[in-house]
Amino acid sequence: MNKLIITVAPTGSLPTKEMTPHVPITPEEIIETGIRCESAGASVIHVHARNPRDGSASSQFAIFEEICHGLREKTNLIIQISTGGRAGTAYEQRCERLRLKPEMASLTTGSVNFPNSVYENSPELIKALARDMFELGIKPEIEVFDLGMINNGILLAREGLLIPPLHFDFVMGLKGAIPAGIDHLVHLKNSIPPDATWTVAGVGPAQLPMNLHAVMMGGHVRVGLEDNIYYVKGQLATNEALVKRMVRLSGEVGREVATPDEAREILHLTK
Ligand code: ZN
């Protein structure tokens, strides 16, 4: 079977130090987490920025720059910048960070209701972000919260804004989005182009079971405190421990983990 790509999403927009002391907030903490997770077996890091002052989600270019600079200097990880909108929904606030030319960036190809807010991605915004990534040579990870978002990704490829083979991330188990379940996962997998690659990010208690399904189905996995702060119920996790667990469990069933360079080949990235 193909090797397993482990993406770590260490920070996200929501977990606070009050919720878990293990969430890295400052650039220094995020870089340090990246180093530890790379040694543990991760090959991709999904990056969000926070205001070091109060921990809130940030769209400040300088913070993204510091994180990317440190990760490039100290790791071989594939950097995947989030273009998510929790720190500001306007295109200008979400595209500037792409100038850092990470190898990958997230691209959500539709809108979805989060529990207390609308994650709004208008057709114009999606196209503008896709065009920026195309021009800067950044591979989008198409974030799928619902089936229609796969279709939108395929349509963007037909328009020439995304270059196949496409890469999808199925975000499952978030209230308001697609429920976490193997039946839904099979359907999502069967709905993407045959040459596409895919990762699954299960939210909360869905992280581990959805990751295990992906291991067996030939997909890839995303772990990390952005999606889930617990190792088991009632016991807080560290990012590193979540990566290590996937390496161990995947190894137990004979699926080896990809190094960052092997992940670049699988994802058709040109470094
Ligand atoms: Zn994210």
PDB file of all heavy atoms in Angstrom, residues 27 32 35 37-38 69 81 115 117 127 138 200 217 225 238 253:
ATOM      1  N   PRO A  27       4.645  31.955  17.576  1.00  0.00           N
ATOM      2  CA  PRO A  27       5.465  31.369  16.508  1.00  0.00           C
ATOM      3  C   PRO A  27       6.514  30.403  17.060  1.00  0.00           C
ATOM      4  O   PRO A  27       6.696  29.304  16.524  1.00  0.00           O
ATOM      5  CB  PRO A  27       6.111  32.597  15.853  1.00  0.00           C
ATOM      6  CG  PRO A  27       5.094  33.669  16.029  1.00  0.00           C
ATOM      7  CD  PRO A  27       4.510  33.414  17.399  1.00  0.00           C
ATOM      8  N   GLU A  32       8.550  24.963  17.423  1.00  0.00           N
ATOM      9  CA  GLU A  32       9.013  23.889  18.309  1.00  0.00           C
ATOM     10  C   GLU A  32       8.133  22.640  18.145  1.00  0.00           C
ATOM     11  O   GLU A  32       8.626  21.506  18.062  1.00  0.00           O
ATOM     12  CB  GLU A  32       8.938  24.420  19.760  1.00  0.00           C
ATOM     13  CG  GLU A  32       9.409  23.485  20.838  1.00  0.00           C
ATOM     14  CD  GLU A  32      10.862  23.082  20.670  1.00  0.00           C
ATOM     15  OE1 GLU A  32      11.661  23.918  20.201  1.00  0.00           O
ATOM     16  OE2 GLU A  32      11.175  21.907  20.989  1.00  0.00           O
ATOM     17  N   ILE A  35       9.007  20.885  14.900  1.00  0.00           N
ATOM     18  CA  ILE A  35      10.243  20.084  15.002  1.00  0.00           C
ATOM     19  C   ILE A  35       9.933  18.732  15.652  1.00  0.00           C
ATOM     20  O   ILE A  35      10.330  17.676  15.162  1.00  0.00           O
ATOM     21  CB  ILE A  35      11.315  20.839  15.836  1.00  0.00           C
ATOM     22  CG1 ILE A  35      11.729  22.124  15.117  1.00  0.00           C
ATOM     23  CG2 ILE A  35      12.522  19.952  16.119  1.00  0.00           C
ATOM     24  CD1 ILE A  35      12.558  23.084  15.963  1.00  0.00           C
ATOM     25  N   CYS A  37       7.023  17.190  15.943  1.00  0.00           N
ATOM     26  CA  CYS A  37       6.098  16.363  15.160  1.00  0.00           C
ATOM     27  C   CYS A  37       6.780  15.782  13.929  1.00  0.00           C
ATOM     28  O   CYS A  37       6.455  14.678  13.505  1.00  0.00           O
ATOM     29  CB  CYS A  37       4.851  17.158  14.770  1.00  0.00           C
ATOM     30  SG  CYS A  37       3.787  17.465  16.188  1.00  0.00           S
ATOM     31  N   GLU A  38       7.735  16.513  13.373  1.00  0.00           N
ATOM     32  CA  GLU A  38       8.473  15.940  12.242  1.00  0.00           C
ATOM     33  C   GLU A  38       9.276  14.723  12.708  1.00  0.00           C
ATOM     34  O   GLU A  38       9.249  13.677  12.048  1.00  0.00           O
ATOM     35  CB  GLU A  38       9.416  16.975  11.605  1.00  0.00           C
ATOM     36  CG  GLU A  38      10.142  16.410  10.389  1.00  0.00           C
ATOM     37  CD  GLU A  38      11.171  17.361   9.799  1.00  0.00           C
ATOM     38  OE1 GLU A  38      11.686  18.239  10.539  1.00  0.00           O
ATOM     39  OE2 GLU A  38      11.478  17.226   8.601  1.00  0.00           O
ATOM     40  N   HIS A  69       9.209  31.057   8.311  1.00  0.00           N
ATOM     41  CA  HIS A  69      10.658  31.199   8.290  1.00  0.00           C
ATOM     42  C   HIS A  69      11.299  30.162   9.227  1.00  0.00           C
ATOM     43  O   HIS A  69      12.220  29.443   8.848  1.00  0.00           O
ATOM     44  CB  HIS A  69      11.038  32.627   8.706  1.00  0.00           C
ATOM     45  CG  HIS A  69      12.504  32.866   8.708  1.00  0.00           C
ATOM     46  ND1 HIS A  69      13.219  33.061   7.553  1.00  0.00           N
ATOM     47  CD2 HIS A  69      13.399  32.911   9.733  1.00  0.00           C
ATOM     48  CE1 HIS A  69      14.496  33.215   7.863  1.00  0.00           C
ATOM     49  NE2 HIS A  69      14.633  33.130   9.172  1.00  0.00           N
ATOM     50  N   ILE A  81      -0.374  26.514   4.628  1.00  0.00           N
ATOM     51  CA  ILE A  81      -0.961  27.657   5.336  1.00  0.00           C
ATOM     52  C   ILE A  81      -2.472  27.600   5.211  1.00  0.00           C
ATOM     53  O   ILE A  81      -3.009  27.326   4.142  1.00  0.00           O
ATOM     54  CB  ILE A  81      -0.400  28.975   4.760  1.00  0.00           C
ATOM     55  CG1 ILE A  81       1.034  29.198   5.251  1.00  0.00           C
ATOM     56  CG2 ILE A  81      -1.279  30.153   5.152  1.00  0.00           C
ATOM     57  CD1 ILE A  81       1.607  30.547   4.895  1.00  0.00           C
ATOM     58  N   PRO A 115     -20.955  25.870  14.386  1.00  0.00           N
ATOM     59  CA  PRO A 115     -21.965  25.929  15.451  1.00  0.00           C
ATOM     60  C   PRO A 115     -22.449  27.351  15.757  1.00  0.00           C
ATOM     61  O   PRO A 115     -23.637  27.564  15.962  1.00  0.00           O
ATOM     62  CB  PRO A 115     -21.253  25.303  16.646  1.00  0.00           C
ATOM     63  CG  PRO A 115     -20.323  24.322  16.018  1.00  0.00           C
ATOM     64  CD  PRO A 115     -19.845  24.978  14.744  1.00  0.00           C
ATOM     65  N   SER A 117     -21.331  30.328  13.885  1.00  0.00           N
ATOM     66  CA  SER A 117     -20.995  31.323  12.866  1.00  0.00           C
ATOM     67  C   SER A 117     -21.128  30.708  11.484  1.00  0.00           C
ATOM     68  O   SER A 117     -21.222  29.487  11.331  1.00  0.00           O
ATOM     69  CB  SER A 117     -19.559  31.817  13.065  1.00  0.00           C
ATOM     70  OG  SER A 117     -18.667  30.730  12.929  1.00  0.00           O
ATOM     71  N   LYS A 127     -12.566  31.665  -6.093  1.00  0.00           N
ATOM     72  CA  LYS A 127     -11.835  31.792  -7.362  1.00  0.00           C
ATOM     73  C   LYS A 127     -10.600  32.668  -7.196  1.00  0.00           C
ATOM     74  O   LYS A 127      -9.539  32.371  -7.747  1.00  0.00           O
ATOM     75  CB  LYS A 127     -12.734  32.405  -8.434  1.00  0.00           C
ATOM     76  CG  LYS A 127     -13.532  31.356  -9.151  1.00  0.00           C
ATOM     77  CD  LYS A 127     -14.188  31.934 -10.389  1.00  0.00           C
ATOM     78  CE  LYS A 127     -15.149  30.893 -10.939  1.00  0.00           C
ATOM     79  NZ  LYS A 127     -15.879  31.337 -12.103  1.00  0.00           N
ATOM     80  N   ILE A 138       1.350  27.314  -5.628  1.00  0.00           N
ATOM     81  CA  ILE A 138       1.004  26.686  -4.346  1.00  0.00           C
ATOM     82  C   ILE A 138      -0.049  25.617  -4.598  1.00  0.00           C
ATOM     83  O   ILE A 138      -1.038  25.874  -5.285  1.00  0.00           O
ATOM     84  CB  ILE A 138       0.436  27.750  -3.378  1.00  0.00           C
ATOM     85  CG1 ILE A 138       1.484  28.831  -3.103  1.00  0.00           C
ATOM     86  CG2 ILE A 138      -0.058  27.096  -2.080  1.00  0.00           C
ATOM     87  CD1 ILE A 138       0.913  30.093  -2.459  1.00  0.00           C
ATOM     88  N   VAL A 200      -8.168  12.682   5.646  1.00  0.00           N
ATOM     89  CA  VAL A 200      -9.375  12.907   6.437  1.00  0.00           C
ATOM     90  C   VAL A 200      -9.015  13.548   7.773  1.00  0.00           C
ATOM     91  O   VAL A 200      -8.044  13.169   8.422  1.00  0.00           O
ATOM     92  CB  VAL A 200     -10.218  11.620   6.618  1.00  0.00           C
ATOM     93  CG1 VAL A 200      -9.522  10.581   7.448  1.00  0.00           C
ATOM     94  CG2 VAL A 200     -11.584  11.955   7.199  1.00  0.00           C
ATOM     95  N   MET A 217      -8.069   2.487   3.984  1.00  0.00           N
ATOM     96  CA  MET A 217      -8.620   2.755   2.645  1.00  0.00           C
ATOM     97  C   MET A 217      -7.599   3.381   1.701  1.00  0.00           C
ATOM     98  O   MET A 217      -7.932   3.719   0.569  1.00  0.00           O
ATOM     99  CB  MET A 217      -9.834   3.704   2.771  1.00  0.00           C
ATOM    100  CG  MET A 217     -11.066   3.039   3.361  1.00  0.00           C
ATOM    101  SD  MET A 217     -12.315   4.253   3.897  1.00  0.00           S
ATOM    102  CE  MET A 217     -12.754   5.022   2.328  1.00  0.00           C
ATOM    103  N   LEU A 225      -4.287  19.261  17.542  1.00  0.00           N
ATOM    104  CA  LEU A 225      -5.184  19.916  18.499  1.00  0.00           C
ATOM    105  C   LEU A 225      -6.188  20.866  17.840  1.00  0.00           C
ATOM    106  O   LEU A 225      -7.181  21.233  18.458  1.00  0.00           O
ATOM    107  CB  LEU A 225      -4.358  20.658  19.561  1.00  0.00           C
ATOM    108  CG  LEU A 225      -3.940  19.824  20.786  1.00  0.00           C
ATOM    109  CD1 LEU A 225      -3.257  18.523  20.421  1.00  0.00           C
ATOM    110  CD2 LEU A 225      -3.050  20.631  21.718  1.00  0.00           C
ATOM    111  N   THR A 238      -1.058  15.824  23.405  1.00  0.00           N
ATOM    112  CA  THR A 238      -0.118  16.755  22.773  1.00  0.00           C
ATOM    113  C   THR A 238      -0.149  16.426  21.282  1.00  0.00           C
ATOM    114  O   THR A 238      -0.516  15.319  20.878  1.00  0.00           O
ATOM    115  CB  THR A 238       1.329  16.572  23.279  1.00  0.00           C
ATOM    116  OG1 THR A 238       1.778  15.258  22.906  1.00  0.00           O
ATOM    117  CG2 THR A 238       1.424  16.745  24.783  1.00  0.00           C
ATOM    118  N   VAL A 253      -0.513  -2.211  11.100  1.00  0.00           N
ATOM    119  CA  VAL A 253      -1.241  -2.859  10.001  1.00  0.00           C
ATOM    120  C   VAL A 253      -0.444  -2.809   8.694  1.00  0.00           C
ATOM    121  O   VAL A 253      -0.987  -2.987   7.615  1.00  0.00           O
ATOM    122  CB  VAL A 253      -2.658  -2.255   9.794  1.00  0.00           C
ATOM    123  CG1 VAL A 253      -3.545  -2.575  10.970  1.00  0.00           C
ATOM    124  CG2 VAL A 253      -2.611  -0.750   9.548  1.00  0.00           C
TER     125      VAL A 253
END
